[in-house]
Structure formats: C-alpha cells, structure tokens
Amino acid sequence: MKAAQGIKNAPAWQQKYREIMLLGKTLPVLADVLKIDSALVPGCESKVWLFVEFDLTENTLVVIGDSDTRIVKGLLALILALYNGLTPEQVLEINAYQEFEKLGLISHLSPSRGNGIKAMVETIQTMAKQKIS
C-alpha cells in the first residue's frame, strides 16, 4: 500500500503517529452537506462519515469519507487506500487488521480506535457483499 510507506518506515511510534496525521491531511474535505447522520459509521468513538458507492463501468468500489479528529482521519485515509478501486470480490479478500499489523499500528491503538477501524472496514465489506449478491 503506497500511502502507508512513510508509516511503515517510521522507526518510532511518535513518527508513525505524525505520518498518520499527515496522511489524513491528504483526504479531500467532505462537504458539510454530506456530513449527515445516516453516513455516520456506528461503533466509532469519533465521528466518521463514510460513503461507499459502486462504479458500474469499472465494477469497482468508490469510497469517500471524513472524520472530526486528525488521527482517525489518517486511519481512514489508510482504509480508503486499501479498498478504493477494488472489485467487490477483491475487497472481501483484504484483511485490514493484518495490513495495520504489518504497519506496526495495532499494538499502539486504543481499543476504541481499534473498534472504529473494525466498524469502518465492516461498513465497506458489507457494501461489497451486497454488490456480489
């Protein structure tokens, strides 16, 4: 995952944390009109708005989102980099937990942040499953 290269190469947690927040700054700002309750991801302590659409011409998922906290916005950017542009079948093959573990992030995240990541991934995977059915 190209977006995570700086995080993977950072030798200490503080540098990884900084890289995550910098990655969050790369996400486009979600218009306030899209920050609606129905787009909130349940199970996240921070507010996370997530939209999962399906590009029929490319048979791929298009995922956009935003968060009200910088660190979660960075974690969301990692998740979007993992899943955007994949077919529904490919989405279901991705183990996000394993990818975060490879980056050395899981042991440093609070349980609530870990639950938030799980909730975001489940939202994306649920949409992928619906497209396969």
Side-chain angles (χ1 to χ4, degrees):
M1 175 174 37
K2 192 175 184 177
Q5 201 59 40
I7 296 166
K8 188 175 184 178
N9 293 336
W13 170 242
Q14 287 296 68
Q15 288 140 324
K16 288 181 187 293
Y17 191 84
R18 184 178 180 279
E19 288 293 328
I20 292 168
M21 289 198 299
L22 288 173
L23 190 57
K25 288 182 178 183
T26 67
L27 280 183
V29 176
L30 194 65
D32 286 340
V33 70
L34 294 176
K35 293 180 180 178
I36 54 177
D37 288 347
S38 62
L40 285 170
V41 176
C44 290
E45 194 173 286
S46 301
K47 287 187 176 184
V48 176
W49 297 272
L50 194 62
F51 291 90
V52 183
E53 298 296 327
F54 190 68
D55 181 340
L56 291 172
T57 58
E58 298 292 325
N59 190 36
T60 58
L61 291 180
V62 178
V63 189
I64 61 168
D66 201 354
S67 177
D68 63 344
T69 63
R70 292 187 308 180
I71 188 69
V72 174
K73 193 169 184 164
L75 296 170
L76 176 60
L78 285 171
I79 291 169
L80 297 183
L82 269 175
Y83 291 108
N84 256 324
L86 298 181
T87 65
E89 293 81 8
Q90 291 170 322
V91 165
L92 297 177
E93 291 173 9
I94 299 281
N95 182 333
Y97 182 87
Q98 197 172 55
E99 295 299 321
F100 275 73
E101 186 68 43
K102 285 181 196 173
L103 295 172
L105 299 179
I106 296 299
S107 62
H108 294 286
L109 296 176
S110 67
S112 64
R113 290 230 169 93
N115 288 338
I117 289 169
K118 185 178 177 189
M120 289 182 258
V121 168
E122 285 176 355
T123 299
I124 294 167
Q125 290 188 334
T126 297
M127 181 65 156
K129 286 176 189 170
Q130 289 173 357
K131 292 302 175 186
I132 292 172
S133 312

